[in-house]
Amino acid sequence: MTLKLGTIGTTWITQQFIEAAHATGEYVLTAVYSRRLESGQTFAAQFGEVPVFTELADMLASGLDVLYIASPNSLHFEQVKAAIQADVHIIVEKSAFENPGQYAQIKALLTAHPSVRMFEAARHIQQPNFKALATKVAEMEQISGATFVYEKYSSRFDAYLAGENPNVLNREFAAGALADLGIYPLYAALRLFGMPVSQHYFATKLNNGTDGRGTAILRYTNFDVTLIFGKGANSYQHSEILGLRDTILIDSIAELNQVEYDDGRGARTLLSTPVADNPMLDEAKLFADIIKQPVELANTYTDLLALSEQVNAVLTKLREDAGVVFPSDH
């Protein structure tokens, strides 16, 4: 069965997901949603004669199996709710939701619609190089600490400097450095080490109150994990995981192009393999497998959903620690 795919969002990330979905052979694009018909038609034309909808309810009623959501963060909650109520599976870009209150409502809806599967698109933890990294971490005698870095100059930062208030740098849209980029290292940390004992966030705020960059510290029983991320500069600092004397070196915790293990005795081993041209390929295939094999892969799905909820909880605590407030928090 080929899954009928609909999308929300007309930027490069949606295009990349559609290309990955088609490359798996598991999906076919059958609907595009856009608030503006013209921009939707321009986007959809890349993929042939694909119907374009300007009303979400109409698209959800068009026979979709799966909806991919890459709208501004603040819109995710209502769009996911609508999809669940229509019994359509969801793949939602991170950050999926703004706080645990929203997450609790979504979980209740999923319980009421047990055939629906919802995934948060944390692509990097599904890639082979992350799994090789996780295997090596499990083999290490001791973890002494870790530093994960993901700092990239936003394509919209020039607009902010010019006096505009773009969505990706605007608290009203539940955006900012932590919600948009910090979630990559946060997902990696929680997947590798579990929930921290405590968490602290030292945010550098923009003049609109959004966090433009920051450093988060996750405290575990015997070590700390430092997360460094931002949208107003480019960092070329590598990430690393410290053992007793051994170290794992990572070129980028989000991209994972090169991962090496240094045993501390003069030997270094390459853990990574060449990455796929499209980094969303592995997650798209996994999500399709879970949808098509709901019983066989039930534990895999439950694990992913639990991790997504944990990330949401820690993300919210970090924002609260730094005084970064979203409208829905009230």
Side-chain angles (χ1 to χ4, degrees), residues 94-166:
K94 56 208 171 301
S95 304
F97 308 110
E98 298 175 42
N99 50 51
Q102 287 189 349
Y103 216 110
Q105 293 183 59
I106 294 300
K107 281 188 69 179
L109 267 179
L110 288 170
T111 300
H113 295 261
S115 65
V116 174
R117 298 291 178 263
M118 185 197 74
F119 310 96
E120 186 169 19
R123 59 165 175 76
H124 58 313
I125 66 166
Q126 307 304 342
Q127 293 174 234
N129 288 347
F130 186 87
K131 294 180 179 180
L133 161 66
T135 298
K136 179 55 70 174
V137 168
E139 295 171 352
M140 294 171 76
E141 178 182 354
Q142 175 180 313
I143 301 298
S144 298
T147 301
F148 294 157
V149 182
Y150 195 43
E151 190 157 6
K152 295 175 64 177
Y153 191 82
S154 170
S155 61
R156 301 296 294 149
F157 208 81
D158 284 347
Y160 164 75
L161 294 175
E164 299 176 28
N165 199 14

Side-chain angles (χ1 to χ4, degrees), residues 285-305:
K285 181 65 170 66
L286 175 63
F287 298 160
D289 288 344
I290 292 172
I291 290 169
K292 293 182 178 184
Q293 304 172 59
V295 176
E296 297 87 342
L297 296 176
N299 289 340
T300 301
Y301 173 65
T302 300
D303 176 61
L304 287 177
L305 195 62

